[in-house]
Amino acid sequence: MNKKTVRDIDVKGKKVLVRCDFNVPLDENKNITDNRRIVGALPTIKYLLDNDCKVILCSHLGRPKGQVNKDFSLEPVAKELSKLLGKEVKLANDIIGKSAKELTANMKDGEIVLLENVRFDSREEANDAEFAKELASLAEIYVNDAFGTAHRAHASGVASYLPAVAGFLMEKELNFLGTTLENPERPFVAILGGKKVSDKIGVIDSLLEKVDTLMIGGGMAYTFFKSMGYNVGNSICELDKLDLAKSLMEKAKAKGVKLMLPVDTKVGKEFKEDTESKTVKYTEIPDGWEGFDIGAETIKMYQDELSKAKTVIWNGPLGLFEFDQFAIGTNAIAEYLGNLENVTTVIGGGDSAAAIEKLGIGDKFTHISTGGGASLEFLEGKKLPGVECLLDK
């Protein structure tokens, strides 16, 4: 972590704009169903309050496509923050308009204003310089604490106009992911799931330079099976990536990395919760059936390998975890991993984090990233715009 944080500059009494990731799930009544991302921002907010700052928060929520849409209002976030902090968080009804300017102009030390959803203005995602400049004019310091959007070069990254530093959540994410990748205790095992090989090409390529074992699960496994000449039935398969799958297996062999693929798979007749299902060997997937999960033999094989690990990084579910009968593999590996002792376990956000939270065992892992897409790009070794723009130490 070679970037400055709020600790490294004088924030006392200043007006500070904090980019948070409050992109939380809401139910049909606009109640927050998982407040993890809001809780994750609290250490930075509390530090600023303790230093008598005037705190201006901004975030996106959902995909309002550059239009004002009350379904994506941050009002539920303002209420949740008020409850968690034990003090009022005022919500502006715009981003850089009259409401935002009036509320932020008259702030006293220790007060908090939350701007309305930054994606209500199309200029945010367009990375419009004029929009960023107006946003910056509300404050004296910019703090990026939104790791979940750090891979996007959007205009709320107002670092061109203000001194810009990392918040504590951003610092934590970069430290955990960075340390895990740069100096892992070995054996170092990576688990990769998800639908497509194409989504993870860069990650697989990068991890093959670092890990001792790479376990593959989820829909991407069937592209590997097909590349080996086996029938995959109706399973998700990228026919244009078969040569790539072969080359990745060859690279693993050349690097001395143990690349593990499922040895059995749970297949279903249709893409629905209660479909007829059965477990077959990976070489014997029948026509008309679709692979939705790893089987019991694979679970045991992966658990045996994980029992030897000292560092594990996991990104992507190992099956269709949204359907209970095909969540068995993901859940079994998650529970096993959570119960391992003296192992650093890092979950790379996204669906794998959602699966673990669904099980209620999040506290059993060393670190669960708040950013799926950002953690993927970090694992690839890409530079994240939301990090690159911050002041160096």
Side-chain angles (χ1 to χ4, degrees), residues 177-379:
L177 290 171
T179 304
T180 302
L181 289 173
E182 293 307 315
N183 192 26
E185 194 177 347
R186 297 185 181 276
F188 180 17
V189 178
I191 309 169
L192 284 183
K195 292 177 186 174
K196 297 178 177 180
V197 179
S198 56
D199 292 341
K200 306 272 168 85
I201 296 168
V203 180
I204 296 172
D205 214 36
S206 176
L207 288 175
L208 286 176
E209 302 285 343
K210 299 178 174 76
V211 300
D212 301 298
T213 301
L214 178 60
M215 298 175 178
I216 300 287
M220 73 164 90
Y222 304 100
T223 300
F224 283 92
F225 296 156
K226 187 75 173 175
S227 78
M228 295 155 72
Y230 298 114
N231 184 43
V232 295
N234 290 345
S235 306
I236 187 169
C237 180
E238 295 174 281
L239 295 174
D240 61 333
K241 295 291 182 286
L242 301 183
D243 287 343
L244 172 71
K246 278 184 196 170
S247 72
L248 289 170
M249 288 189 283
E250 286 163 9
K251 180 175 179 177
K253 192 174 179 181
K255 292 276 180 188
V257 174
K258 190 173 182 180
L259 193 150
M260 300 178 72
L261 289 161
V263 292
D264 60 346
T265 181
K266 193 171 185 182
V267 296
K269 271 296 230 182
E270 297 175 80
F271 189 92
K272 62 179 188 180
E273 176 72 74
D274 58 351
T275 188
E276 181 188 348
S277 65
K278 61 183 178 181
T279 300
V280 297
K281 288 181 179 176
Y282 77 100
T283 54
E284 297 174 2
I285 299 172
D287 288 335
W289 292 73
E290 187 170 353
F292 290 131
D293 198 6
I294 57 174
E297 276 186 61
T298 303
I299 292 170
K300 176 72 169 62
M301 180 177 78
Y302 283 7
Q303 288 174 341
D304 287 348
E305 187 71 15
L306 289 168
S307 71
K308 300 173 243 175
K310 284 296 178 185
T311 305
V312 180
I313 194 157
W314 181 6
N315 185 287
L318 301 177
L320 187 63
F321 78 100
E322 295 88 347
F323 294 169
D324 286 348
Q325 71 158 325
F326 301 119
I328 293 166
T330 299
N331 292 350
I333 296 300
E335 285 169 349
Y336 186 83
L337 204 51
N339 287 321
L340 288 177
E341 293 180 1
N342 303 315
V343 182
T344 299
T345 49
V346 176
I347 310 302
D351 286 341
S352 36
I356 284 161
E357 291 300 328
K358 195 175 173 185
L359 287 170
I361 57 172
D363 59 342
K364 292 188 170 187
F365 295 83
T366 312
H367 179 64
I368 298 179
S369 177
T370 54
S375 64
L376 263 182
E377 294 202 10
F378 192 94
L379 291 178

Side-chain angles (χ1 to χ4, degrees), residues 82-93:
S82 298
K83 189 170 76 177
L84 290 169
L85 290 166
K87 66 186 300 172
E88 184 189 9
V89 175
K90 295 174 184 173
L91 177 68
N93 59 28

Side-chain angles (χ1 to χ4, degrees), residues 61-258:
L61 175 63
R63 299 179 183 275
K65 298 178 180 174
Q67 304 288 326
V68 176
N69 183 336
K70 65 179 183 182
D71 287 341
F72 298 103
S73 171
L74 287 173
E75 187 178 353
V77 174
K79 287 178 181 173
E80 182 71 6
L81 270 171
S82 298
K83 189 170 76 177
L84 290 169
L85 290 166
K87 66 186 300 172
E88 184 189 9
V89 175
K90 295 174 184 173
L91 177 68
N93 59 28
D94 53 32
I95 310 152
I96 51 173
K98 185 181 177 186
S99 173
K101 285 175 179 171
E102 284 180 358
L103 282 175
T104 56
N106 300 315
M107 292 178 80
K108 295 182 176 66
D109 290 351
E111 286 190 340
I112 311 173
V113 170
L114 173 62
L115 306 180
E116 191 47 285
N117 190 336
V118 288
R119 288 190 184 170
F120 281 179
D121 192 314
S122 60
R123 293 176 296 172
E124 153 70 4
E125 290 185 89
N127 200 19
D128 182 87
E130 200 53 44
F131 176 74
K133 192 174 180 180
E134 282 202 60
L135 195 55
S137 72
L138 302 176
E140 299 164 88
I141 293 169
Y142 173 60
V143 176
N144 191 353
D145 212 22
F147 180 74
T149 61
H151 59 311
R152 305 196 185 283
H154 291 168
S156 54
V158 293
S160 302
Y161 306 99
L162 293 174
V165 295
F168 296 137
L169 179 60
M170 178 72 82
E171 178 188 38
K172 183 181 172 190
E173 291 275 13
L174 295 173
N175 280 340
F176 265 109
L177 290 171
T179 304
T180 302
L181 289 173
E182 293 307 315
N183 192 26
E185 194 177 347
R186 297 185 181 276
F188 180 17
V189 178
I191 309 169
L192 284 183
K195 292 177 186 174
K196 297 178 177 180
V197 179
S198 56
D199 292 341
K200 306 272 168 85
I201 296 168
V203 180
I204 296 172
D205 214 36
S206 176
L207 288 175
L208 286 176
E209 302 285 343
K210 299 178 174 76
V211 300
D212 301 298
T213 301
L214 178 60
M215 298 175 178
I216 300 287
M220 73 164 90
Y222 304 100
T223 300
F224 283 92
F225 296 156
K226 187 75 173 175
S227 78
M228 295 155 72
Y230 298 114
N231 184 43
V232 295
N234 290 345
S235 306
I236 187 169
C237 180
E238 295 174 281
L239 295 174
D240 61 333
K241 295 291 182 286
L242 301 183
D243 287 343
L244 172 71
K246 278 184 196 170
S247 72
L248 289 170
M249 288 189 283
E250 286 163 9
K251 180 175 179 177
K253 192 174 179 181
K255 292 276 180 188
V257 174
K258 190 173 182 180

